[in-house]
Amino acid sequence: MNITVYLGSHAGNNPAYTTYAYQLGAWIAQNGHTLIYGGSRTGLMGTLADGALSQGGRVIGIEPQSFVDQEYQHDGLTELIVTGDMLERKEKMLAMGDLFLAFPGGLGTLEEMSEAMDQIKLGFVKGRFAFLDFEGYYQPLKAYFQHMADEGFLDADFVKAIPFLPSLAALTAFTLGRELPQPGETWRHFKNRLYRILDIATDAETGESYVVYKTLYGEYRDFIRPLSMFLSEVDHEKYPDVKQKWRFEKTAGLCSWNPAVSQQYMKKESSQ
């Protein structure tokens, strides 16, 4: 999948954004996606590209000639596409993307993401979009979208459905079309064994997300698995008789199928 990312050409005042940008680039590469971005080496843009390249990812930069003349381009990219102007750059970034992400940035980020949203909403561009709401950066914009809806300028259902993703774990679930597991929830494996979600952990260097969960049977062992694997589909060629679509699916309630096991588990939890 081609992932177009709009983000700042400056680093911003919060050093966390630089960390997140590098992790996002690494995440895109590790998950086998191609990064499409504005092509610059400066600020968060350069950090994003470096993160993807560090994991052997494919990175395509799209840079207008005027910026190349000023030597803003990143020289280590897989491919650099030079356009005649900014308009052509935006058109190519839209045409090449399958998923459009807004990382923290400024006016250019807002302009490009607004156009992507509008084009997708009108059906002129196929794909999905989401805001990467790291550190709550886009919460004021989320409130403004709601204000637009309240004033009758945006459809309320459209605004409600706009994804604001606070973490790479949430992004992983979003790209897979799944709900992100939450601590305390019970999920059923396709072999009908139940597990309790304990936590979602993220590798600080690569941005890879993991699910930490506990068995609700036997000796109550803890497991940690990559989130992408946890949320993947059942291999129905290997298990042709399994009707469940997903490897793990969320259930309603804690071990409602076996109260005895539930009570044993709850006692064990309370004693720790």
Side-chain angles (χ1 to χ4, degrees), residues 3 44 49 100 180 201 212 260:
I3 298 181
L44 298 177
F100 303 87
L180 180 65
V212 184

Side-chain angles (χ1 to χ4, degrees), residues 218-237:
E219 298 178 355
Y220 309 105
R221 293 183 299 162
D222 292 350
F223 288 87
I224 182 168
R225 295 286 186 273
L227 178 61
S228 56
M229 185 190 79
F230 187 89
L231 296 178
S232 64
E233 292 190 34
V234 173
D235 183 350
H236 286 100
E237 290 187 2

Side-chain angles (χ1 to χ4, degrees):
M1 177 167 61
N2 286 353
I3 298 181
T4 295
V5 181
Y6 304 116
L7 73 170
S9 59
H10 296 282
N13 297 328
N14 187 343
Y17 296 137
T18 297
T19 300
Y20 290 137
Y22 191 89
Q23 289 179 348
L24 174 61
W27 179 93
I28 289 173
Q30 285 203 333
N31 284 275
H33 306 307
T34 295
L35 169 62
I36 310 292
Y37 88 116
S40 295
R41 56 176 173 77
T42 60
L44 298 177
M45 295 176 71
T47 303
L48 173 73
D50 289 341
L53 292 168
S54 73
Q55 300 298 313
R58 178 172 171 79
V59 181
I60 300 176
I62 303 175
E63 191 91 275
Q65 183 63 57
S66 59
F67 285 0
V68 174
D69 292 341
Q70 298 176 69
E71 299 184 348
Y72 287 145
Q73 78 278 4
H74 194 303
D75 291 328
L77 305 181
T78 309
E79 181 180 357
L80 179 66
I81 299 174
V82 180
T83 63
D85 53 32
M86 289 290 287
L87 179 59
E88 185 183 358
R89 177 206 215 183
K90 290 191 293 184
E91 290 175 346
K92 283 191 176 297
M93 291 180 72
L94 275 173
M96 295 183 67
D98 301 304
L99 172 63
F100 303 87
L101 301 177
F103 192 87
L107 289 178
T109 300
L110 284 179
E111 178 203 7
E112 291 169 322
M113 188 60 173
S114 295
E115 183 171 1
M117 291 172 64
D118 193 45
Q119 294 291 310
I120 292 171
K121 184 174 183 291
L122 294 173
F124 297 140
V125 171
K126 294 182 179 180
R128 296 190 296 165
F129 65 85
F131 288 87
L132 297 179
D133 192 31
F134 298 152
E135 301 289 306
Y137 181 79
Y138 280 114
Q139 285 302 298
L141 182 62
K142 182 178 181 179
Y144 188 58
F145 283 149
Q146 185 58 54
H147 177 66
M148 290 180 175
D150 293 342
E151 293 297 318
F153 293 106
L154 272 181
D155 180 76
D157 290 337
F158 174 77
V159 170
K160 186 178 180 180
I162 296 175
F164 287 86
L165 309 177
S167 65
L168 289 176
L171 176 60
T172 298
F174 176 76
T175 56
L176 294 172
R178 301 295 312 278
E179 183 179 348
L180 180 65
Q182 299 295 327
E185 292 178 343
T186 304
W187 286 59
R188 177 183 284 108
H189 188 260
F190 69 88
K191 293 183 178 179
N192 286 323
R193 290 183 170 179
L194 296 187
Y195 298 85
R196 181 83 172 282
I197 305 300
L198 300 180
D199 199 6
I200 301 294
T202 300
D203 187 299
E205 181 176 348
T206 66
E208 180 74 15
S209 298
Y210 296 85
V211 184
V212 184
Y213 56 99
K214 181 187 291 288
T215 60
L216 294 181
Y217 61 88
E219 298 178 355
Y220 309 105
R221 293 183 299 162
D222 292 350
F223 288 87
I224 182 168
R225 295 286 186 273
L227 178 61
S228 56
M229 185 190 79
F230 187 89
L231 296 178
S232 64
E233 292 190 34
V234 173
D235 183 350
H236 286 100
E237 290 187 2
K238 185 176 181 180
Y239 302 100
D241 296 330
V242 173
K243 295 182 179 180
Q244 185 167 310
K245 178 178 180 180
W246 304 104
R247 182 184 295 266
F248 288 89
E249 295 182 358
K250 188 171 72 170
T251 67
L254 174 62
C255 280
S256 58
W257 66 281
N258 192 332
V261 174
S262 297
Q263 290 300 319
Q264 291 174 18
Y265 177 71
M266 294 304 290
K267 289 178 181 178
K268 183 177 178 66
E269 284 286 283
S270 63
S271 66
Q272 292 179 350

